[in-house]
């Protein structure tokens, strides 16, 4: 049976969509920036500073501007998970397999508030929330992490 041109094109287009669907688990991108692109008063930031993902998903910390890195914050990751630390000015991709709250920082700019958090959904997502929240912070990081904890509560993720 011969296919009409329209049927052939429709069939071919459907086949091309399969690899895209298979790549639906592409990493979320968190940019490391000197300045917020829309609010120049916000400096030394991760954008977004809070991401919610599923277990097994990845985050690509993109070195959009030079002089930054992404590293897990001390005592701010779930028990049994490995800390990570990217090199300055380099992208780093991290896969999160254990549900929970992960705090992260730019090591040279943590005191200026260049901090963020990843929430990994799944059983036990809030098991380390109070522990992470109680970690002592200095400088602007204390304020920014406080705002992030409020954002997590507003999402209905925290009791």
């Amino acid at each position: 049976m011969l296919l009409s041109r329209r049927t052939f094109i429709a069939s071919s287009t459907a086949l091309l969509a399969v690899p895209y669907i298979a790549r639906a688990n592409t990493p979320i991108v968190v940019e490391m920036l000197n300045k917020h692109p829309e609010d120049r008063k916000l400096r030394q930031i991760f954008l977004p500073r809070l991401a919610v993902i599923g277990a097994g998903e990845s985050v690509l910390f993109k070195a959009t501007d030079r002089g930054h890195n992404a590293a897990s914050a001390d005592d701010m990751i779930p028990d049994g998970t490995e800390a990570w630390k990217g090199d300055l000015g380099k992208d780093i991709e991290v896969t999160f397999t254990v549900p929970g709250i992960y705090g992260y920082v730019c090591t040279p700019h943590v005191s200026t508030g260049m901090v963020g958090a990843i929430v990994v959904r799944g059983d036990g997502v809030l098991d380390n929330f109070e522990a992470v929240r109680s970690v002592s912070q200095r400088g602007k990081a204390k304020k920014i992490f406080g705002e992030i904890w409020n954002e997590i509560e507003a999402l209905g993720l925290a009791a």
Side-chain angles (χ1 to χ4, degrees):
M1 174 180 160
L2 291 174
L3 296 175
S4 70
R5 183 171 185 232
R6 178 177 285 164
T7 305
F8 176 77
I9 291 171
S11 299
S12 298
T13 304
L15 287 174
L16 291 174
V18 173
Y20 178 77
I21 294 168
R23 285 185 265 171
N25 195 17
T26 58
I28 291 178
V29 176
V30 173
E31 292 185 276
M32 299 180 262
L33 299 169
N34 291 332
K35 296 177 189 174
H36 191 287
E38 295 166 5
D39 185 348
R40 297 306 211 177
K41 294 179 204 167
L42 298 176
R43 297 177 180 270
Q44 314 300 348
I45 63 163
F46 289 104
L47 188 64
R49 66 182 184 184
L50 174 63
V52 180
I53 64 173
E57 293 183 341
S58 299
V59 173
L60 173 64
F61 295 95
K62 181 87 175 140
T64 305
D65 292 332
R66 296 170 40 161
H68 304 294
N69 75 334
S72 55
D74 292 340
D75 301 319
M76 295 182 74
I77 60 176
D79 289 338
T81 61
E82 284 191 39
W84 76 90
K85 182 177 181 182
D87 294 329
L88 284 177
K90 303 280 185 185
D91 297 352
I92 181 173
E93 187 171 335
V94 181
T95 301
F96 297 87
T97 57
V98 177
I101 312 295
Y102 294 74
Y104 62 88
V105 301
C106 172
T107 52
H109 299 113
V110 64
S111 66
T112 65
M114 192 166 180
V115 300
I118 305 292
V119 177
V120 180
R121 295 183 311 267
D123 290 340
V125 64
L126 298 177
D127 287 356
N128 72 324
F129 185 57
E130 288 306 318
V132 165
R133 192 176 176 157
S134 68
V135 172
S136 180
Q137 302 295 332
R138 295 185 215 208
K140 199 170 175 186
K142 182 176 184 173
K143 175 184 183 268
I144 302 299
F145 270 130
E147 292 172 0
I148 291 169
W149 308 148
N150 290 339
E151 289 173 32
I152 291 171
E153 288 177 335
L155 290 172
L157 297 171

